Amino acid sequence: MSFFNRDVISITDFNRNNFEELFDLTEKLLDKKVSNLDILEGKIMASAFFEPSTRTRLSFETAMKRLGGDVITLVGEEAVSIKKGESFIDTVRMLDSYSDIIVIRHSYEGAAKLAAEIANSPVINGGDGKQHHPTQAFIDLFTVKRLKGSIDGLIYGVLGDLKYARTANSFLLALTRFNPKKIYLISPSILKVRSETRDYLVKSGITFEEYTDITEIIDELDVLYVTRIQKERFPDPVEYEKVRGSYRVTTSILKNAKPDLKILHPLPKLDEIDPKLDETKYAAYFKQAYYGVPVRMALLLLIFGVKPDL
Ligand code: CP
């Protein structure tokens, strides 16, 4: 199935061909240094963020504007009529009637899926609770491909809150569309990868192992994907306090790393990566965030079915 007129709810809705089509167009946009086109003139994107965001909202809005389209924005429930008691469903109906595509972030799992059932226009999930963040996964794998030359055949470490982090889970699910040599899942024991993701890795024939200490396997990794602990998703603040600050990537840990290891992080990062690493050859996370705009430009073009002359 192509991207045309399609909702983007879970990364598992997409196959390897979809990834490759998206990455090829992104490469073209980057290589031709495309920053301004008027190809989506007349189209409006509703950017509906019921949860905070820096990268996802701003890069989608930048992408739409760079393609010549326009944006209407809703940030938080305080500023809209949900505050007056209007339902989420009626709010989505309004977004649908005012725009041609909707990007939605919400703390409720399944919010984007529900919006897609209501709206006639395509809906893109910009993150629903701990569940999915599909466009982040597209960006993450594009970054690996761009910086490492291939997604296949690499050894990956995914470090952090694997229970609640939607980014890490979408990244793992996305890797099932490729052939990683091995994945190490490294987390505090109470934040182990959730069962549906683990089951999906097993079903997909992915080789993986679970660890609590990154130093045991750091020397093997080609890519290290780090996430922060998702404080906002913990039902019990006492549980959060038990794991706060329990892992941190430092120069000392990287003593045994491969020289061409790349560290990814969806951001925002807190204290799980020593800022001294930001300027090192290992740090790929700011580049990864930069790729957010071209990947989302390519995604919008494919969903609208508009081919730029590149
Ligand atoms: N990576 C990501 O989703 O960042 P934001 O929360 O800033 O959008």
Side-chain angles (χ1 to χ4, degrees):
M1 216 173 142
S2 79
F3 279 100
F4 178 61
N5 215 22
R6 193 161 169 193
D7 300 313
V8 180
I9 306 301
S10 164
I11 203 69
T12 55
D13 299 336
F14 298 90
N15 60 29
R16 184 167 178 143
N17 286 343
N18 295 134
F19 279 85
E20 285 170 356
E21 186 184 17
L22 180 72
F23 293 169
D24 285 350
L25 182 53
T26 307
E27 293 277 5
K28 282 191 189 135
L29 292 171
L30 277 168
D31 293 346
K32 303 262 174 173
K33 298 188 174 23
V34 174
S35 58
N36 287 296
L37 293 173
D38 55 9
I39 199 162
L40 293 187
E41 200 179 328
K43 298 282 186 201
I44 295 180
M45 182 180 84
S47 171
F49 280 70
F50 297 90
E51 255 196 350
S53 167
T54 298
R55 281 144 290 272
T56 310
R57 182 169 75 81
L58 297 181
S59 62
F60 259 118
E61 294 183 4
T62 303
M64 191 63 181
K65 289 181 181 195
R66 287 204 183 281
L67 293 169
D70 222 328
V71 177
I72 53 172
T73 304
L74 176 168
V75 179
E77 294 190 346
E78 292 297 308
V80 287
S81 291
I82 285 180
K83 179 77 178 161
K84 294 185 251 174
E86 186 169 40
S87 69
F88 174 73
I89 289 175
D90 281 356
T91 305
V92 172
R93 285 195 179 107
M94 295 307 105
L95 294 171
D96 194 32
S97 63
Y98 300 148
S99 67
D100 303 292
I101 191 164
I102 301 168
V103 183
I104 191 160
R105 169 173 290 189
H106 205 290
S107 57
Y108 291 153
E109 289 160 35
K113 188 165 183 288
L114 174 61
E117 284 161 15
I118 298 158
N120 293 313
S121 302
V123 171
I124 301 177
N125 185 1
D128 61 325
K130 67 174 164 50
Q131 197 77 1
H132 295 295
H133 198 344
T135 64
Q136 182 65 48
F138 282 136
I139 294 161
D140 299 339
L141 290 203
F142 178 78
T143 306
V144 173
K145 183 168 187 288
R146 184 90 174 171
L147 300 186
K148 302 293 290 183
S150 172
I151 298 163
D152 298 318
L154 301 179
I155 300 185
Y156 294 82
V158 184
L159 169 68
D161 180 349
L162 306 186
K163 184 173 179 182
Y164 296 117
R166 58 194 174 204
T167 51
N169 280 271
S170 288
F171 179 71
L172 288 167
L173 296 172
L175 281 175
T176 66
R177 299 302 187 252
F178 293 83
N179 299 304
K181 190 167 176 189
K182 188 166 188 174
I183 305 177
Y184 287 107
L185 305 172
I186 314 135
S187 66
S189 52
I190 64 165
L191 295 177
K192 278 185 164 188
V193 74
R194 43 185 199 248
S195 57
E196 67 264 29
T197 302
R198 186 191 286 106
D199 293 349
Y200 204 91
L201 294 177
V202 171
K203 195 180 79 178
S204 306
I206 300 289
T207 304
F208 68 93
E209 275 186 56
E210 293 181 79
Y211 278 78
T212 53
D213 182 359
I214 188 174
T215 60
E216 293 183 52
I217 46 85
I218 186 72
D219 58 324
E220 291 187 48
L221 303 182
D222 299 301
V223 174
L224 173 61
Y225 190 95
V226 186
T227 61
R228 73 184 165 92
I229 296 182
Q230 312 284 301
K231 182 181 179 184
E232 66 277 26
R233 312 254 179 251
F234 277 66
D236 180 357
V238 176
E239 289 296 297
Y240 171 70
E241 285 306 322
K242 281 187 198 161
V243 286
R244 187 158 71 110
S246 57
Y247 59 91
R248 182 171 164 88
V249 183
T250 59
T251 36
S252 131
I253 283 177
L254 294 182
K255 268 197 327 268
N256 297 322
K258 289 181 182 172
D260 56 352
L261 169 73
K262 293 295 172 211
I263 302 175
L264 274 67
H265 192 307
L267 305 179
K269 63 183 173 68
L270 305 179
D271 54 5
E272 61 280 357
I273 296 181
D274 185 336
K276 283 194 201 118
L277 296 182
D278 290 356
E279 304 303 325
T280 67
K281 62 186 176 182
Y282 302 111
Y285 30 90
F286 295 124
K287 197 82 189 167
Q288 180 186 359
Y290 166 79
Y291 290 143
V293 173
V295 170
R296 287 175 169 132
M297 284 171 78
L299 182 65
L300 291 169
L301 287 170
L302 291 171
I303 292 174
F304 280 116
V306 178
K307 280 199 171 62
D309 190 15
L310 297 172

